[in-house]
Amino acid sequence: MTRLGMVIDLSKCVGCGACAFACKAENNTRTRGSGQSYNWGDFLIRTEGRFPNVTHEVIPVMCNHCSDAPCVKECKAKPNPHKAMYKTPEGITMHDPALCIGCQRCQEVCPYSSEQLGMSSLDGSSYSAISFNYDDEPTQPFWADKGSAIPGCTASGAETAAKAGAPVPAMSQWTAGDLQPIRKDGVVEKCTFCYHRTLNGLQPACVEVCPSQARIFGDQDDPKSRISQVLASQKSFRLLEEKGTKPNVHYIGKYSRRA
């Protein structure tokens, strides 16, 4: 059996945001709006103290692909052949938009998610692993907007998308079975560990672009894998372990040497 997971070394993470940008580009996620972040890769950020005695902490976050995932248990979609939220044989928590009924129960029960993000999400105090695409609203509003910054001078988002011949001008096209490159309205969406890449022997986009190589991805049950060896040799922690969800995203080290 394979149990895919990720280790993030906070002592190597520089908080540059390359992982989040790569995730948005790879998965065509939209801009923030209506209390939803649509950031499959996000950050918890905390700064404490007064200069010169200041500590700063950045923790990259995403779906934790929990082994005991509440979202999978609570999904109300009828199995066909699985529920909308389900586990793949590799342990990835996957979502099938074609089966999703938009009830948002997954958001309600996920310890790492919220149905509505408040202002605290803007300064890094909170985030949501799962986002919801509201009914009868464009899922790429920026590229559906017909307004222009300078009328008669600059193109609108809709005009740019039309010229490119794609819903998103720099759209990343891929095949991943149940999940589509552009999600529809009335369904939830979240990180998939770049299932379309990992199925083909590639690393998730966030892992590939990390300039400090702070992320390690692989099979936790393979004793010869790097992730397995790191977890066996170093002390790690997981977010909200007390919830009993058995997250498969682990953290080692500290972000700031001053902390």
Side-chain angles (χ1 to χ4, degrees):
M1 292 293 290
T2 299
R3 186 167 57 96
L4 295 174
M6 188 179 294
V7 165
I8 300 177
D9 188 341
L10 297 178
S11 66
K12 291 183 177 180
C13 176
V14 297
C16 66
C19 52
F21 279 115
C23 177
K24 293 198 80 68
E26 180 70 28
N27 296 292
N28 310 303
T29 58
R30 56 156 286 186
T31 50
R32 175 187 295 270
S34 303
Q36 307 291 314
S37 71
Y38 305 104
N39 291 333
W40 293 8
D42 216 328
F43 302 92
L44 285 174
I45 302 172
R46 180 172 60 198
T47 302
E48 294 180 335
R50 298 183 64 179
F51 183 83
N53 301 310
V54 178
T55 60
H56 183 65
E57 182 181 51
V58 176
I59 299 180
V61 291
M62 67 196 81
C63 172
N64 285 278
H65 297 277
C66 306
S67 291
D68 192 6
C71 60
V72 174
K73 290 181 178 179
E74 289 295 322
C75 180
K76 300 303 181 184
K78 183 179 179 181
N80 183 29
H82 45 243
K83 295 193 291 185
M85 198 73 77
Y86 65 99
K87 300 294 291 187
T88 72
E90 301 82 12
I92 292 177
T93 304
M94 194 69 176
H95 182 252
D96 186 345
L99 300 178
C100 183
I101 60 175
C103 67
Q104 294 181 262
R105 279 291 293 153
C106 51
Q107 275 187 305
E108 293 176 20
V109 299
C110 173
Y112 313 97
S113 296
S114 173
E115 287 188 90
Q116 287 284 324
L117 285 171
M119 293 300 293
S120 65
S121 67
L122 298 176
D123 62 17
S125 297
S126 64
Y127 74 105
S128 184
I130 301 173
S131 295
F132 181 66
N133 294 321
Y134 287 97
D135 294 299
D136 302 320
E137 293 185 11
T139 59
Q140 293 290 338
F142 182 86
W143 300 112
D145 187 359
K146 296 181 179 180
S148 58
I150 306 176
C153 181
T154 59
S156 66
E159 289 172 326
T160 304
K163 287 288 186 181
V168 178
M171 182 173 171
S172 176
Q173 282 279 18
W174 38 257
T175 301
D178 297 324
L179 192 68
Q180 301 302 314
I182 296 290
R183 277 67 60 192
K184 62 180 183 177
D185 63 329
V187 303
V188 299
E189 60 176 64
K190 66 169 198 66
C191 160
T192 65
F193 269 165
C194 283
Y195 197 49
H196 58 288
R197 294 175 60 89
T198 55
L199 272 183
N200 292 290
L202 300 174
Q203 293 285 296
C206 61
V207 176
E208 186 170 292
V209 305
C210 181
S212 58
Q213 299 182 351
R215 296 180 179 232
I216 304 167
F217 180 80
D219 183 4
Q220 301 167 89
D221 289 340
D222 178 2
K224 296 181 179 180
S225 70
R226 186 181 173 208
I227 186 173
S228 179
Q229 293 172 355
V230 167
L231 288 173
S233 62
Q234 298 193 45
K235 183 179 180 180
S236 65
F237 70 92
R238 297 173 293 180
L239 298 179
L240 302 179
E241 289 189 72
E242 68 276 10
K243 298 295 184 180
T245 62
K246 301 177 183 177
N248 284 297
V249 174
H250 310 258
Y251 298 88
I252 59 175
K254 289 185 177 181
Y255 173 76
S256 172
R257 294 185 181 277
R258 296 169 295 169

